[in-house]
């Protein structure tokens, strides 16, 4: 009997984890799917990849396969070990049975003949599915419905193929980035009366052009003219739920954060906060009259923003760092 190296078929190492195995299968399944690859031989390659993944995706079957790998010979053949019973594993116990269009090698390990009746008694759970769900910040403010479309492998008449599934999903208010939502039974269909797999949605908050996210808090950068920072001002600031008025105190500094309570992202117990990050910006190129006003202000203010950079101060700073190094 010809030995099949399922790791080589998927292009992974024997110590690859389940995540790498799954990723390799998905990549190859897309590449060789008959609907996407009209080349001759693509369908057989697709079946071979599906068989390899069927053998390695389950920890129990993979462990059994790994144990049998030591019995392959250099010519690529396979000589079952003593005590091996075809279609039943060691002693005929612990093997799963399949009705898929798999090779004799696969069926000799995991069962083939009579598998349908066994599977109906035992049942086989469907495959889980995991997809990323992009959510806009505005959509977290209240429960929303989203259309989800994804591909799932199904068995029909002993053949494995992928079908497109679509459903409307309710996304609860207050979902956070990285949160995982389970939809029971919305994964792959079970076999032999087994339950369906689950669908897991991984929430990914879409970056917003105005707001940065810090947990359930939001940060919005607020541009201020120099005179607004110096004299104070009443300005309009955007939030996810509309605009609000914000008072800027006189002599405000760039980098200062003003807290607006309850205007952040919703949580299970309330709302996060909005922080207005002040940023002083200069107006466009000024004419001669405006330049003269700036020069007059500079002379009258007598302000040196780098006064702390005196020779004495710099000496103290250098000494401080040197002392720390010692």
């Amino acid at each position: 009997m010809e030995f099949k190296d399922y790791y080589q078929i998927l292009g992974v190492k024997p110590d690859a984890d389940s995540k790498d195995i799954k990723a390799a299968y998905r990549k190859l399944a897309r590449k060789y799917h008959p609907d996407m690859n009209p080349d001759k031989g693509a369908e057989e390659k697709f079946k071979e990849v599906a068989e390899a993944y069927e053998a390695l995706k389950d920890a129990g079957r993979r462990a059994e396969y790994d144990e049998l790998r030591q019995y392959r010979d250099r010519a690529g053949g396979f000589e079952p070990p003593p005590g091996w019973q075809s279609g039943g594993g060691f002693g005929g116990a612990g093997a799963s049975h399949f009705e898929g269009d798999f090779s004799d090698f696969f069926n000799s390990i995991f069962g083939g003949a009579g598998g349908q009746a066994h599977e109906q008694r035992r049942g086989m759970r469907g495959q889980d599915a995991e997809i990323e769900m992009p959510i806009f910040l505005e959509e977290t403010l209240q429960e929303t419905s989203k259309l989800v479309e994804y591909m799932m492998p199904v068995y029909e008449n002993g053949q494995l193929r992928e079908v497109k599934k679509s459903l409307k999903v309710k996304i609860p208010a207050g979902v956070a980035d990285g949160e995982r939502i389970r939809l029971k039974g919305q994964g792959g269909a079970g076999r032999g009366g087994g339950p369906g797999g689950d669908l897991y949605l991984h929430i990914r908050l879409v970056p917003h052009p105005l707001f940065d996210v810090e947990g359930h808090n939001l940060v919005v950068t607020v541009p201020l003219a120099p005179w607004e920072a110096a004299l104070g001002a009443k300005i309009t600031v955007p939030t996810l739920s509309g605009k609000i008025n914000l008072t800027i105190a006189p002599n405000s500094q760039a980098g200062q954060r003003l807290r607006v309570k309850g205007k952040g992202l919703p949580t299970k117990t309330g709302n996060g906060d909005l922080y207005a990050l002040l940023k002083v910006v200069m107006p466009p190129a000024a004419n001669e009259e405006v330049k003269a006003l700036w020069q007059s202000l500079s002379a009258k203010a007598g302000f040196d923003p780098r006064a702390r950079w005196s020779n004495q101060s710099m000496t103290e700073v250098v000494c401080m760092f040197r002392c720390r190094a010692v």
Side-chain angles (χ1 to χ4, degrees), residues 289-324:
E289 183 179 359
V290 173
K291 287 182 180 179
L293 292 174
W294 282 115
Q295 290 171 349
S296 176
L297 175 62
S298 173
K300 291 181 179 180
F303 173 60
D304 183 2
R306 295 168 296 281
R308 297 181 61 185
W309 291 8
S310 62
N311 291 335
Q312 182 178 359
S313 298
M314 291 301 293
T315 301
E316 292 174 353
V317 171
V318 172
C319 179
M320 178 180 65
F321 279 104
R322 285 179 177 175
C323 291
R324 286 182 179 176

Side-chain angles (χ1 to χ4, degrees), residues 3 25-26 45 77-78 86 99 101 106 116 119 124 144 150 152 163 167 178 182-183 189 198 209 264 281 286 295 301:
F3 178 84
Y25 162 70
R26 287 182 171 179
K45 191 67 177 178
F78 174 64
S86 178
E99 55 181 305
D101 186 18
F106 183 96
Q116 184 173 356
E119 186 175 297
M124 186 175 179
T144 183
Y150 54 104
M152 286 301 303
V163 298
L167 67 153
R182 176 193 178 200
L183 300 174
D198 298 331
V281 295
Q295 290 171 349

